[in-house]
């Protein structure tokens, strides 16, 4: 377009830029929103074509990356500043889950020359947290990366409060057997929380042990043990396993029965499947595993996508704001402050 420029003594006035609320080499807030909207869901290299298709605007991929990541940082900072004290009774029952997902992280060597030749790829864990009231289908999410397990516990509490946690709320945690997850539920909620090891994760251990305990009828044996666990009969399962525990000289990698026994003995208070089923609570962590696909993996595990560690949390913040349906709120605040 042709832009009129008014020139005076030692200065110039650009009426269009003033009326449009933009400056040279910058993007208006509506355009930033469109860019971030695409960048939150698609690879940065694909966004310029979409902007051209839908808005007739030509933007470089580097600008798309810069704007998207900058808004992700703002969202991350807002999440860190959230203070949510508990002052009400809250809902009666909540369900909470935590699980990790591996993200590809690229690092560049310090050697001189073409740094592209000195890149290495590592996989690091991003943790996803969800909490919702029993019966609700709209969980509250949070995500952490490169932070301590205590930080994940703080994120868990923020999710719970946002989902209606109060002074009388009971939180039912469910997840894999990682000890730190159960510890964070206990440290975060104290006596208001209980934790259950994912039933199907335990069944994986039973399936491996069945090849030793009942090689001729493994499926029937597994089903029997499953019913024992659902009836809160952990001792019966351990009795069945103990008779087949491998000798000490057998390496751990070749001792599935020993592994199963150790797993069950180390988690005596996290196996109350009977109580959970009676109260209509889940015994599996399928909800968080599914959420990994549409919250984290949909964007951060695109084919060929590698991330710098510093950029992972901003992108996670974008995905979480979207999943929590806080997108309109974020942009509304920016527009009001403009």
């Amino acid at each position: 377009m042709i832009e009129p420029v008014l020139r005076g003594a030692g200065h110039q006035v650009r009426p269009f830029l003033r009326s449009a609320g933009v400056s040279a080499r910058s993007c208006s807030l509506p355009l930033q929103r469109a860019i971030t909207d695409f960048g939150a869901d698609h690879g940065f290299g694909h966004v310029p074509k979409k902007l051209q298709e839908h808005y007739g605007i030509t933007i470089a991929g580097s600008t798309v990356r810069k704007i998207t990541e900058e808004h992700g940082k703002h969202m991350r900072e807002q999440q860190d500043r959230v203070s949510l004290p508990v002052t009400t009774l809250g809902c009666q029952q909540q369900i909470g889950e935590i699980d990790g997902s591996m993200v590809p992280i690229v690092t560049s060597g310090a050697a001189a020359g073409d740094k592209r030749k000195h890149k290495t790829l590592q996989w690091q864990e991003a943790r996803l947290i969800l909490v919702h009231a029993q019966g609700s289908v709209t969980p509250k999410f949070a995500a952490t990366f490169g932070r301590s397990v205590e930080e994940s516990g703080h994120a868990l509490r923020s999710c719970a409060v946002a989902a209606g946690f109060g002074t009388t709320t009971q939180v039912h945690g469910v997840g894999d057997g990682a000890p730190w997850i159960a510890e964070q539920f206990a440290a975060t909620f104290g006596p208001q929380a209980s934790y259950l090891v994912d039933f199907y994760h335990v069944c994986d251990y039973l399936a491996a042990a069945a090849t030793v305990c009942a090689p001729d009828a493994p499926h029937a044996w597994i089903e029997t043990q499953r019913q024992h666990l659902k009836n809160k009969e952990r001792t019966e399962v351990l009795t069945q396993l103990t008779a087949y525990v491998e000798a000490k000289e057998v390496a751990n990698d070749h001792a599935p029965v020993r592994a199963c026994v150790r797993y069950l003995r180390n988690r005596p208070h996290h196996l109350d499947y009977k109580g959970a089923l009676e109260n209509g609570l889940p015994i599996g962590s399928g909800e968080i595993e599914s959420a990994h696909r549409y919250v984290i993996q949909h964007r951060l595990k695109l084919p060929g996508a590698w991330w710098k560690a510093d950029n992972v949390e901003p992108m996670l913040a974008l995905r979480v704001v979207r999943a929590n349906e806080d997108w309109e709120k974020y942009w509304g605040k920016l527009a009001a402050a403009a």
Side-chain angles (χ1 to χ4, degrees):
M1 62 176 289
I2 298 175
E3 179 195 358
V5 178
L6 306 180
R7 301 182 185 277
H11 71 281
Q12 64 180 19
V13 178
R14 303 176 69 173
F16 172 77
L17 296 188
R18 288 189 176 183
S19 63
V22 299
S23 58
R25 298 183 182 277
S26 70
C27 300
S28 66
L29 189 60
L31 180 54
Q32 290 181 47
R33 176 171 178 167
I35 290 172
T36 308
D37 186 25
F38 284 129
D41 295 331
H42 304 281
F44 297 129
H46 297 291
V47 174
K49 291 183 179 179
K50 292 184 175 294
L51 290 170
Q52 180 64 43
E53 170 69 21
H54 294 283
Y55 301 102
I57 297 174
T58 301
I59 295 289
S62 58
T63 302
V64 170
R65 177 188 296 274
K66 178 181 177 181
I67 290 175
T68 302
E69 292 176 349
E70 189 65 29
H71 282 288
K73 290 177 183 178
H74 289 163
M75 293 176 187
R76 175 73 260 180
E77 291 168 359
Q78 290 179 6
Q79 291 173 3
D80 287 340
R81 291 197 298 265
V82 170
S83 178
L84 298 169
V86 175
T87 58
T88 62
L89 296 179
C91 59
Q92 181 177 357
Q93 179 72 63
Q94 286 185 335
I95 296 162
E97 301 183 20
I98 303 178
D99 193 27
S101 182
M102 304 308 288
V103 176
I105 304 299
V106 64
T107 56
S108 299
D114 189 348
K115 292 186 177 181
R116 293 174 297 178
K117 297 181 180 179
H118 302 283
K119 288 182 177 180
T120 57
L121 177 66
Q122 300 175 339
W123 291 86
Q124 296 182 26
E125 185 181 52
R127 296 174 184 146
L128 185 65
I129 301 104
L130 72 78
V131 180
H132 62 81
Q134 185 178 17
S136 172
V137 295
T138 54
K140 293 297 182 181
F141 292 96
T144 64
F145 175 79
R147 301 198 179 202
S148 66
V149 294
E150 289 76 18
E151 288 288 344
S152 297
H154 296 158
L156 174 65
R157 180 177 176 80
S158 295
C159 282
V161 174
F165 178 80
T167 57
T168 62
T169 302
Q170 293 297 310
V171 181
H172 170 73
V174 58
D176 64 31
W180 72 266
I181 301 180
E183 290 167 2
Q184 285 307 306
F185 271 92
T188 301
F189 303 113
Q192 288 180 253
S194 61
Y195 187 76
L196 196 67
V197 172
D198 176 80
F199 181 72
Y200 306 99
H201 191 73
V202 176
C203 289
D204 287 340
Y205 280 84
L206 291 173
T211 61
V212 177
C213 299
D216 296 331
H219 297 296
W221 184 87
I222 293 171
E223 184 57 33
T224 298
Q225 311 318 311
R226 285 163 56 98
Q227 291 304 314
H228 281 315
L229 288 175
K230 287 183 178 180
N231 290 328
K232 205 175 181 179
E233 297 169 347
R234 181 179 69 102
T235 303
E236 294 294 333
V237 179
L238 288 171
T239 299
Q240 292 289 327
L241 291 165
T242 302
Y244 298 92
V245 172
E246 296 85 357
K248 292 182 178 180
E249 56 268 21
V250 177
N252 288 334
D253 291 344
H254 301 284
V257 180
R258 184 197 305 156
C260 190
V261 169
R262 182 171 58 245
Y263 194 86
L264 294 175
R265 284 180 174 169
N266 288 343
R267 297 163 177 83
H269 305 299
H270 303 154
L271 302 171
D272 186 12
Y273 303 109
K274 181 179 180 180
L277 291 170
E278 289 175 348
N279 289 289
L281 297 170
I283 62 174
S285 57
E287 187 174 12
I288 192 73
E289 292 169 7
S290 176
H292 270 301
R293 290 192 288 272
Y294 65 83
V295 177
I296 294 181
Q297 297 174 7
H298 178 81
R299 180 62 181 92
L300 276 79
K301 295 185 76 171
L302 292 174
W306 293 10
W307 297 93
K308 290 184 178 180
D310 291 343
N311 295 332
V312 172
E313 277 205 312
M315 294 306 298
L316 287 175
L318 282 170
R319 301 296 301 170
V320 165
V321 166
R322 178 94 82 194
N324 284 338
E325 300 183 356
D326 289 333
W327 190 257
E328 289 289 343
K329 182 191 299 184
Y330 172 78
W331 292 102
K333 287 183 178 179
L334 288 185

